[in-house]
Structures are given as C-alpha cells and as structure tokens.
Amino acid sequence: QVHLVESGGGVVQPGKSLRVSCSASGFTFRSNGMHWVRQAPGKGLEYVAFISFDGTNKQYAESVRGRFTVSRDNSWDTLYLQMNIVRPEDTAVYYCAKGDHGYGMDVWGQGTTVTVSS
Amino acid sequence: DIQMTQSPSSLSASVGDRVTITCRASQGIRNALGWFQQKPGKAPKRLIYSSSSLQSGVPSRFSGSGSGTDFTLTISSLQPEDFATYYCLQHNTYPWTFGQGTKVDIK
C-alpha cells in the first residue's frame, strides 16, 4: 500500500529557511516523479514543484521559483522541499504527492503545516 | 501558465441530485486533466484521471468528460458522503495548475 508521510513543518520567521520532508513507502520510489502542493488556510490547492524520478528535471510555480528547491534521496525513499526566504504568504499545509507516469498525481500524503510568522 | 477556470465556485444540492462541475483551460491540454475530492482536514483524493478514467475504488456515479479546453465532472446521484470540495488539475504543461475549487454542500 502506497504511503506518504510529510514532516518538518512548524513556525518560521519571515526571511528564514525551513526544510520539509516526505517519506515514501509501498512503491518503487526511485521510479516515480514526485510533487509538492500547498493549501493556504481556507484557500484552494496550489501546485508548488515537481522533481523527476532521477532528480534531473525540476519544475516550480512562479510564486516559489528562486526561493524553494525540491530534491530527493532515492537511497532513503525521501522527498524534500527546501524553503528559503519564506514569506507570510507561504503559510500553508504542504502535501507531497506521487506522480503517476503521465497521468497526473495519484496518492497524497496527509500534509505538514508551515506557518510563517514573526 | 495555463489558467483553469472552474465553475461554479459553490453549489447546494440534495441527496439524489445530479451534479455537474466544469473546468475550462486557457489553452488546449488534450485530455491531461484530473478531478480530486477533498473533505475538511483531509488530503485530496483522486476521482478521475485522463479526463474520463475512473480511479480504482471510486464509485461509478462519478464520471468525467472533455478534451482540449472544456471538461466536466458529473455525479449522477449525489450521496451524503459526496458533500466536499472538488478540484480539477491540468497536468499537460508545467507548472501544473488547479481550478479554484467547487464546494458542494447540502441544500
């Protein structure tokens, strides 16, 4: 059974950095692209980033490009999102999701909450 | 970026009603569209992929259609557990983009 567990969320001051993680199990992690999606309080879903199965292709939403970096460790079946120079508008639940080989994304984690506040 | 315009933003319906939600893409996306259901405090769950393919385990009252720029999610007979927020997602072009969501509540 596919299982994704995010961690690392918390309260961070504006301008600071935070790294969130996503631990994967139940599938061959190194064979799948992975995604990050976020949801601000009371708002809709916002696509954040993608990383290909081998880490060579990365894509970002305009709102985070240049500040956030997606990476992965296929030895540890773990996905990361490094968030730098955070802003109050980055406050959200951050979800990781498994790519589905050209068919979008299928399974999501339960999310981790990031709050940017002084 | 491709803009996904979802409508309506909310609707009220009764158990047994037929419900239709639409998404329009700002440019053609072939059939690269999925539909997700989200309940409060929970992660989204995929219902439909490739515009019209039903996710395994999802009830057959859910169906999707469309290609190019116009897409539809239909719930043929609304059940109590279907009251939720629904989102479309285009996965044709990076960055992928979601519709604004449609909240379905009880009339």
Side-chain angles (χ1 to χ4, degrees), chain A:
Chain A
Q1 181 180 358
V2 175
H3 202 47
L4 299 170
V5 179
E6 299 91 339
S7 61
V11 180
V12 56
Q13 293 179 332
K16 300 296 187 180
S17 298
L18 187 71
R19 188 179 78 166
V20 294
S21 304
C22 169
S23 178
S25 61
F27 67 104
T28 306
F29 180 75
R30 64 181 180 271
S31 297
N32 285 79
M34 296 292 294
H35 306 269
W36 287 101
V37 176
R38 68 185 181 183
Q39 187 168 37
K43 302 297 184 182
L45 301 172
E46 180 186 14
Y47 188 83
V48 174
F50 161 77
I51 185 168
S52 60
F53 69 100
D54 59 359
T56 59
N57 182 15
K58 301 178 183 181
Q59 304 285 337
Y60 298 94
E62 184 62 39
S63 58
V64 306
R65 194 173 296 136
R67 300 187 300 122
F68 289 12
T69 300
V70 60
S71 63
R72 63 191 297 159
D73 187 336
N74 287 345
S75 298
W76 290 94
D77 292 352
T78 303
L79 173 72
Y80 302 101
L81 184 68
Q82 177 69 43
M83 308 166 59
N84 295 334
I85 318 174
V86 297
R87 304 166 178 167
E89 55 264 36
D90 295 322
T91 294
V93 175
Y94 284 75
Y95 296 100
C96 63
K98 172 179 160 289
D100 189 22
H101 301 292
Y103 297 102
M105 55 180 75
D106 50 6
V107 179
W108 297 53
Q110 86 291 344
T112 188
T113 300
V114 174
T115 302
V116 181
S117 174
S118 54

Side-chain angles (χ1 to χ4, degrees), chain B residues 6-89:
Chain B
Q6 188 173 336
S7 61
S9 56
S10 65
L11 66 90
S12 295
S14 301
V15 172
D17 283 353
R18 182 181 182 88
V19 169
T20 299
I21 300 168
T22 65
C23 256
R24 173 165 288 176
S26 59
Q27 62 190 78
I29 59 170
R30 302 175 298 157
N31 70 335
L33 185 110
W35 289 98
F36 295 82
Q37 176 194 67
Q38 187 180 33
K39 296 182 178 180
K42 300 294 187 181
K45 169 189 170 184
R46 189 169 72 173
L47 304 174
I48 300 286
Y49 63 95
S50 296
S51 177
S52 59
S53 296
L54 191 67
Q55 178 72 30
S56 175
V58 173
S60 59
R61 63 180 179 272
F62 291 93
S63 63
S65 64
S67 184
T69 60
D70 294 303
F71 301 86
T72 299
L73 173 70
T74 299
I75 309 172
S76 60
S77 177
L78 198 66
Q79 298 302 300
E81 60 268 30
D82 301 337
F83 292 97
T85 301
Y86 295 84
Y87 296 91
C88 62
L89 167 69

